[in-house]
Amino acid sequence: MATFLYKLGRLSFRRRHFVALIWVALLTLAGVGAASAPAAGNSSFSIPGTEAQKAFDLLEQRFPGTSADGATARVVFKAPSGEKMTDPGNKATVQETVKELSDGSEVVRVTDPYRAKAVSKDGTIAYAQVSYKVSGMELDDAAKDALKDSAQDAREAGLTVEIGGDALQAVPHTGSSEIIGIAVAAVVLVITFGSLVAAGLPLLTALIGVGIGVSTITGLASALDLGSTTSTLAMMIGLAVGIDYALFIVSRYRAELAEGREREEAAGRAAGTAGSAVVFAGLTVVIALVGLSVVNIPMLTKMGIAAAGTVAIAVLIALTMVPALLGYAGRKVKPMGEKGKLLGRAKKQDQPAKPNLGTRWASFVVRRPVAVLLLGVIGLGAAAVPATSLELGLPDDGSQPTSTTQRRAYDLLSEGFGPGFNGPLMVVVDAKDSDDPKAVFAETGDAIKGLKDVVTVTPAQPNKAGDTATITVIPGSKPSSVTTENLVHGIRDAGAGIKADTDANVLVTGSTAMNIDVSEKLNDALVPYLVLVVGLAFLLLIVVFRSILVPLKAALGFLLSVMAALGAVVAVFQWGWLSGLMGVEQTGPVMSMMPIFMVGVVFGLAMDYEVFLVTRMREAYVHGEKPAQAVVTGFRHGARVVTAAAVIMMAVFAGFIGSSESMVKMIGFGLAIAVFFDAFVVRMAIVPAVLALLGRKAWWLPRWLDRALPNVDVEGEGLRTASGDDGDRELVRA
């Protein structure tokens, strides 16, 4: 592989005009496609195989034309102090509002609070429910404005009015902190390279790669039913790995220049050595992201595949466009050890070389491996402690900031009708195979009334055929509580008994039941996903490092860092530590897909640093250095670059903490803190300590396995044995 990438790097350097033209053309094509593509609607959310999804599909079949997937809005009214909603003036205001809401062309129906008995027992709070034909993201702006105007008219009449539901669902934005993250990355690159030109190359190539990836996702969003979060995730990961991969190529190029090689030869060798590490690091990220499809949640699968595509683009750009731009930069990119005019003069040739910080740190770790190892493991273990109280759930209006009308409507409904009113359960009774459907409907309702934590059970509402009915159940506890989860399982257990007696199917659905099913499905999929992704990456790393213990150590180190990161997420988003600093206005359960998502993404990124750092160590070891010295050599060449790469990745991820979407905010924080733990504690401390303790055993591989494995030559041994004269004759001096 190193030889192939070496030739590709030299070809890209030599044919830089052609390579640059290809990537610019692809960016233009993707941009035109995104601009001309139809606007994407709200991404559908389905969970195949769950009972909640089966019930939803049954409703679509047995109750046609009900717009079950349409947007809803709950307009909640509260009477002024000392008054009631049943007072003539307040009642007239509400009825006038209901009339205004009914005039919308996208409105299916509006319930009158007084006819639907949607007035609280104390008479101070009432609500009207508005059902629309289309989803919240597809709802016309005029319909949203009419909803807001109607509420404002009622406010002017003296009532407190808030709007809940998904009708006012807004497209999430990331805020200015994303730009700050890129700015921090730029500063780190300038400090690392000491040159604006060298620092600008990784930023430019990363932005081009992300532009192509996100534009492609935008162009295909409508056809493939991709949500807004998909492009945000692709941008987040694409920026981080794009900058890092280009950083490693440019750094190796400067190191090759420092050894006296001509520029085209240096570009080729950088692509052949660092480029090989980029390929395998990118493969681990792609495996982790594509592996999310085993969870069998379409939205998560699409997010993973889209982000994996962006990572693949970042790898290709690093291998081709970076060498091409190095050709354009010429002598403006200095050899390693020299600094441009921006940060100081070049080092004098007769000046003795001073060991860099990476060399000094590695030497310390090699001398004190046990102490460093224990300190790192204990520190990560302490950070992981909060993860033992992890609570999972999916966000609803109760997790919104208190400044939003959705959250205030949620609180008013809890005040007037109880906390469970915000999470009603819909029970679907399929009595098509039953001899007496009406009796089955009544029996089901009676069985539910006898369960704990049930406040209200509405009469069964049959369809026109009379073979299927819906029953609404109001729990006594809030939607995200364990008590409500137990109630859902209790209804399903009761339904199993009814099926045995009557052949009728009793299914529980609704947003609350769907959230419970999603959490359980994700929990069940976590272990198989870990086995698949870690297993495949383990085999890949055996090929890269030609070792058993090094990949094993890499996987165990990842588990430490991801558990510590989950502990930090629980501390901030569930316990509320530093919540003000992070802009978390409302604490609550951690998003259900967070653990499995972090496992996938963090594993891929963790293996990036493992490959970049340890390949340098193996390169030194196979060329004759002792194991301890190889560790020091690897740090001398790679520690500064890996540190810069980690800081850049943390800055990019942290930039998304400013997002208005709680899911994106949590992912941004989780990935940023995970990179910190993995890069600076696991890879910079635990890894060299373990390698120092293992010595030559770290690189042991059974002979039969050594013969069976393909030789991918990540260390570039083939380049060392190749004749350098042949390459020098074709050089194009910049």
Side-chain angles (χ1 to χ4, degrees), residues 205 212 260 541 563 565:
T205 54
I212 294 173
L541 292 179
M563 288 303 298

Side-chain angles (χ1 to χ4, degrees), residues 249-451:
I249 299 288
V250 175
S251 297
R252 187 58 184 251
Y253 171 76
R254 296 177 69 230
E256 296 293 337
L257 289 179
E259 293 183 8
R261 293 188 174 87
E262 297 292 344
R263 295 188 177 273
E264 183 180 333
E265 179 69 10
R269 288 179 176 267
T273 52
S276 297
V278 165
V279 169
F280 283 100
L283 272 176
T284 59
V285 180
V286 169
I287 287 172
L289 290 171
V290 174
L292 290 171
S293 58
V294 303
V295 184
N296 197 26
I297 295 180
M299 183 187 75
L300 197 59
T301 299
K302 293 172 185 177
M303 289 171 61
I305 293 176
T310 307
V311 172
I313 293 172
V315 171
L316 292 174
I317 283 183
L319 296 176
T320 57
M321 192 170 188
V322 170
L325 292 182
L326 289 172
Y328 283 116
R331 300 188 181 278
K332 292 180 181 178
V333 177
K334 305 292 184 181
M336 187 76 72
E338 291 188 17
K339 293 186 177 181
K341 297 179 181 179
L342 185 65
L343 294 181
R345 298 178 180 177
K347 182 183 66 177
K348 295 180 180 179
Q349 292 184 356
D350 58 349
Q351 183 178 347
K354 181 181 178 181
N356 60 21
L357 181 60
T359 302
R360 297 197 298 271
W361 168 250
S363 300
F364 169 78
V365 174
V366 168
R367 291 195 305 269
R368 301 285 188 274
V370 176
V372 172
L373 178 61
L374 289 177
L375 186 62
V377 172
I378 292 172
L380 290 178
V385 168
T388 57
S389 62
L390 175 67
E391 296 178 9
L392 298 177
L394 288 178
D396 56 14
D397 285 348
S399 62
Q400 296 269 11
T402 54
S403 58
T404 62
T405 186
Q406 291 95 331
R407 172 60 188 276
R408 291 195 293 264
Y410 181 98
D411 292 340
L412 283 176
L413 288 172
S414 296
E415 177 187 340
F417 302 93
F421 194 80
N422 284 292
L425 305 174
M426 179 176 288
V427 179
V428 182
V429 185
D430 179 10
K432 189 174 183 179
D433 298 330
S434 177
D435 296 333
D436 189 354
K438 290 184 179 180
V440 173
F441 301 155
E443 180 182 349
T444 303
D446 293 339
I448 295 173
K449 289 177 183 178
L451 298 175

Side-chain angles (χ1 to χ4, degrees), residues 33-34 36-44 138 214-228 230-231 302:
S36 59
N42 188 29
S43 177
S44 61
E138 297 171 318
V214 173
S215 296
T216 302
I217 291 170
T218 304
L220 298 175
S222 178
L224 300 181
D225 191 26
L226 304 177
S228 58
T230 303
S231 58
K302 293 172 185 177

Side-chain angles (χ1 to χ4, degrees), residues 451-526:
L451 298 175
K452 293 181 180 179
D453 201 49
V454 173
V455 174
T456 304
V457 179
T458 65
Q461 301 292 322
N463 61 350
K464 290 182 179 180
D467 58 4
T468 307
T470 60
I471 300 173
T472 301
V473 180
I474 306 298
S477 304
K478 62 181 182 179
S480 58
S481 68
V482 176
T483 308
T484 301
E485 182 178 347
N486 292 335
L487 175 59
V488 170
H489 290 302
I491 296 174
R492 288 172 175 170
D493 291 340
I498 293 172
K499 179 176 177 58
D501 296 336
T502 65
D503 289 332
N505 288 318
V506 178
L507 307 174
V508 186
T509 189
S511 59
T512 301
M514 183 70 81
N515 289 352
I516 292 170
D517 286 352
V518 169
S519 298
E520 292 180 352
K521 189 177 182 69
L522 289 168
N523 287 338
D524 293 342
L526 184 57

